[in-house]
Amino acid sequence: MTNNGTNGVQAAAPQVVKTAPTPPAPARPPKQTVLSLGELPPRQPHAQHKGPRTPSRIDPNNPPWPAYRGYHEYSFAHATMGHRLPTILGKAIDDVVRTLNEQSDEDRITDLVESIARMQDLMVDLTGNTKLRPIVDDGEGDIPLWNKEIAQFFQGRNFMNAPWLFAEAYKYRRLHECFSVSKYWKDYDVFFRQKCDTFSRSSKAVFELSMRFSKPWKQVDGLSASQQQEAVRLMFHELTQVCLWGNSTDLSLLINMTEEDIQKLQSTGGDHLAATEKNILGNDIPRLWETVKRISQKSDGRIDFVLDNAGFELYCDCVYADWLIQSGLAKTIRFHGKRFAWFVSDVTRKDWDWLLNTMVYGQLFPEASDAQMDSLRALGERWKQYEREGKWIYEQHPFWCTGYTYWDLATEAPDVFLHLSRSDLVIFKGDLNHRKLTYDCEAPPSTPFDMAIGPMASLPGAPPVCSIRTIKSDVVVGIPEEVADRLNRDEDGWKISGKYAVVLLSDGRPGEKVRFQSHSRFAFE
């Protein structure tokens, strides 16, 4: 039988008949998604969730505290699985159809038609709440990790009753599979146009930063040593907030946002930062400064960024990293991105190269002045020079695009854990990284960050870890219980608005010898 437009053989025919695949009609999510939920267990009272599960009872389907799942109507998981993901997938199909209509080569056209058919199959599975099948072996290095996790923990689970974090990641891995098994379109990024367009509409904030930071940073003459250090501290404090609030622009949440709305989110002026600092509910920036000061005393101080969104957020990350190098607070910066398109706007190597080259050579901003464009080019040229000198290093690893949380980093990707253990500070950017650090479960808001990230704080050799995150999903830790109670009472939707944020730090156990334990998945202390 013919499947997804592939060639078939008729049993009664004397010869094989080759037929061209029939172009599928563009698939769009239904206006009102009807979910087949089946038998649903009731929500457990929150009072029962004060303490975490014991280590022997923790696994990807049973986090330390109860997982958020798509059938939990009180959670953002329900809105995501029932509405946001079908909408995102529908827009992705529209993007591929647009690309299809730009092609002239028949082989490439028919190959892309089959990718669209696979996307439509995914839409049916997602909106019909089917069981999670193994990932097709497409040659990616993450296949053993994905299919082992599905076999061990998610047999018989579907999109709505699997933990939200895993189900959402699974959807994006299935989306990549739609292209990775093709002949010509293995690396196609259905979100690339969106990422480029959003950055091009960020001109006000882009030039506000480039005009200020394009010239090499230097201390003001005539200051005492203590005054110089205070000036560095104040700049660090401000740029940490720029790095934080740059995370506001998340394409998976900005489905219908206007240019004016984007500019409001991206305001980087000093007055804006001062006004929004009160919205950092868990604020470890003073402790982070003490950590970075110690790093500056080392001859080989290294800071790692586990990146989140491409475009403007990545641009803010790079402004921050640029200043960390210029001020001497770090000697080397390593950036960790995704191997392929992930959660709409996550950084890939293509996004990284596009940003730096667009800054130097691009013409995205036709209304910009010569001075503005010169400042942007100067920044881009300096960043490219950092790459050539090895001061900035971009890396990617299959683990970042799996369904595992970072509690499983040491057991499922020990090479990555060992690599990060040699860093003096690992900064995890954004909401998804925070969810993975904390197992994305219903921990009490007052849970200490060290406890919430488990092995990433407690294992020997665990590096200092900082989560810089605007709050856009249900999991919240590291803040006073009374603050959460007040917001729950007075401000509906505060956990998903992006209005509030946390900057949380774990000291880890740096300098201790990393020990991998074969008899258990992790150590929880």
Side-chain angles (χ1 to χ4, degrees):
M1 294 181 65
T2 302
N3 182 31
N4 288 345
T6 55
N7 299 328
V9 179
Q10 296 181 356
Q15 60 183 0
V16 176
V17 178
K18 183 175 180 180
T19 59
T22 302
R28 290 178 171 81
K31 292 182 179 179
Q32 183 173 358
T33 302
V34 179
L35 300 169
S36 304
L37 301 181
E39 296 297 323
L40 304 182
R43 180 185 182 187
Q44 297 299 312
H46 187 76
Q48 296 183 9
H49 305 339
K50 291 299 182 183
R53 288 186 170 94
T54 57
S56 62
R57 296 178 57 230
I58 295 173
D59 64 51
N61 194 39
N62 297 283
W65 289 268
Y68 292 103
R69 301 177 191 264
Y71 63 74
H72 291 158
E73 295 187 10
Y74 59 86
S75 75
F76 193 47
H78 185 75
T80 296
M81 300 308 297
H83 174 69
R84 288 178 58 241
L85 290 191
T87 300
I88 289 167
L89 181 55
K91 291 172 73 70
I93 292 173
D94 289 345
D95 177 271
V96 184
V97 170
R98 176 179 170 183
T99 298
L100 178 74
N101 293 335
E102 297 168 348
Q103 305 306 306
S104 59
D105 180 80
E106 184 177 9
D107 286 344
R108 294 178 65 85
I109 290 172
T110 57
D111 195 31
L112 193 56
V113 165
E114 292 174 5
S115 292
I116 295 172
R118 287 188 287 270
M119 295 175 77
Q120 292 174 324
D121 290 342
L122 176 57
M123 180 71 84
V124 171
D125 288 350
L126 179 63
T127 57
N129 192 33
T130 61
K131 293 181 180 179
L132 309 181
R133 63 158 174 81
I135 303 297
V136 173
D137 187 354
D138 53 8
E140 285 283 359
D142 63 352
I143 290 295
L145 289 170
W146 269 107
N147 289 340
K148 179 177 75 169
E149 190 173 14
I150 292 170
Q152 283 186 318
F153 306 109
F154 298 107
Q155 288 193 54
R157 291 286 175 175
N158 56 48
F159 280 95
M160 295 301 284
N161 65 23
W164 171 35
L165 178 62
F166 181 84
E168 191 172 12
Y170 174 85
K171 175 263 180 184
Y172 284 100
R173 186 57 182 86
R174 283 278 304 275
L175 179 58
H176 177 62
E177 179 194 284
C178 294
F179 300 94
S180 60
V181 299
S182 69
K183 181 177 180 181
Y184 297 105
W185 303 93
K186 293 182 182 296
D187 298 319
Y188 188 78
D189 183 350
V190 297
F191 307 120
F192 186 68
R193 281 192 183 97
Q194 287 178 257
K195 289 183 275 194
C196 297
D197 179 63
T198 303
F199 185 71
S200 71
R201 292 189 287 149
S202 305
S203 59
K204 181 177 179 181
V206 166
F207 290 121
E208 187 173 349
L209 289 172
S210 69
M211 292 292 285
R212 184 175 176 190
F213 292 104
S214 61
K215 294 182 179 179
W217 184 84
K218 61 180 181 179
Q219 282 281 13
V220 178
D221 294 334
L223 297 180
S224 67
S226 61
Q227 288 173 325
Q228 288 179 355
Q229 186 169 87
E230 178 62 9
V232 174
R233 186 193 69 80
L234 291 172
M235 183 66 75
F236 173 81
H237 191 94
E238 179 176 354
L239 282 175
T240 300
Q241 288 194 73
V242 169
C243 186
L244 166 65
W245 296 112
N247 173 243
S248 295
T249 309
D250 181 342
L251 295 181
S252 71
L253 299 172
L254 306 186
I255 294 173
N256 294 304
M257 187 158 280
T258 67
E259 185 169 354
E260 182 181 359
D261 293 331
I262 291 173
Q263 290 178 355
K264 287 178 181 177
L265 282 175
Q266 295 173 340
S267 176
T268 59
D271 292 341
H272 173 76
L273 292 178
T276 56
E277 185 169 6
K278 67 180 185 299
N279 292 336
I280 304 177
L281 304 180
N283 190 348
D284 284 342
I285 293 178
R287 287 181 57 212
L288 183 62
W289 164 245
E290 295 301 321
T291 299
V292 171
K293 261 202 315 183
R294 290 193 292 272
I295 297 172
S296 70
Q297 304 304 311
K298 301 183 63 173
S299 61
D300 57 351
R302 166 185 160 187
I303 295 176
D304 288 52
F305 283 78
V306 181
L307 297 169
D308 187 39
N309 295 322
F312 183 71
E313 182 179 351
L314 176 60
Y315 177 77
C316 290
D317 295 340
C318 288
V319 169
Y320 189 37
D322 183 3
W323 184 80
L324 290 172
I325 292 288
Q326 290 192 61
S327 64
L329 294 175
K331 305 303 186 295
T332 305
I333 308 281
R334 291 179 179 266
F335 300 87
H336 303 268
K338 307 300 192 299
R339 288 174 58 86
F340 44 78
W342 193 247
F343 279 67
V344 181
S345 46
D346 281 25
V347 178
T348 66
R349 178 82 216 198
K350 180 179 180 180
D351 298 322
W352 172 270
D353 290 338
W354 178 86
L355 176 66
L356 270 60
N357 287 321
T358 292
M359 291 170 65
V360 175
Y361 305 110
Q363 300 181 26
L364 272 185
F365 307 106
E367 297 181 2
S369 67
D370 290 344
Q372 288 175 322
M373 290 305 301
D374 287 346
S375 70
L376 192 62
R377 278 190 289 269
L379 271 185
E381 288 168 351
R382 187 160 71 235
W383 297 353
K384 289 170 73 69
Q385 183 63 27
Y386 287 156
E387 277 201 291
R388 289 189 288 268
E389 296 173 351
K391 293 179 179 178
W392 280 12
I393 301 167
Y394 181 91
E395 302 178 349
Q396 55 191 15
H397 189 280
F399 180 81
W400 303 121
C401 290
T402 68
Y404 283 107
T405 74
Y406 302 152
W407 280 56
D408 293 304
L409 184 62
T411 54
E412 304 304 331
D415 55 328
V416 179
F417 184 84
L418 184 63
H419 184 42
L420 294 182
S421 75
R422 294 165 178 159
S423 178
D424 297 297
L425 173 66
V426 183
I427 296 173
F428 287 86
K429 283 300 307 296
D431 200 72
L432 176 60
N433 280 321
H434 189 87
R435 290 169 62 193
K436 287 201 163 193
L437 279 169
T438 60
Y439 231 126
D440 198 40
C441 50
E442 202 170 355
S446 59
T447 304
F449 184 59
D450 280 354
M451 177 181 286
I453 68 174
M456 287 301 292
S458 64
L459 284 181
V465 164
C466 180
S467 178
I468 296 181
R469 172 234 189 176
T470 54
I471 301 172
K472 300 175 187 172
S473 63
D474 296 290
V475 61
V476 176
V477 299
I479 71 172
E481 193 83 35
E482 59 271 19
V483 172
D485 289 342
R486 172 177 56 80
L487 290 169
N488 285 332
R489 182 182 65 249
D490 299 340
E491 196 166 336
D492 288 341
W494 69 273
K495 290 183 178 180
I496 62 174
S497 65
K499 174 181 177 181
Y500 297 101
V502 292
V503 179
L504 299 174
L505 178 67
S506 163
D507 293 328
R509 296 172 63 179
E512 298 185 38
K513 182 177 176 58
V514 174
R515 300 192 305 272
F516 296 111
Q517 302 177 7
S518 59
H519 62 278
S520 64
R521 296 181 65 247
F522 49 73
F524 177 65
E525 298 180 3

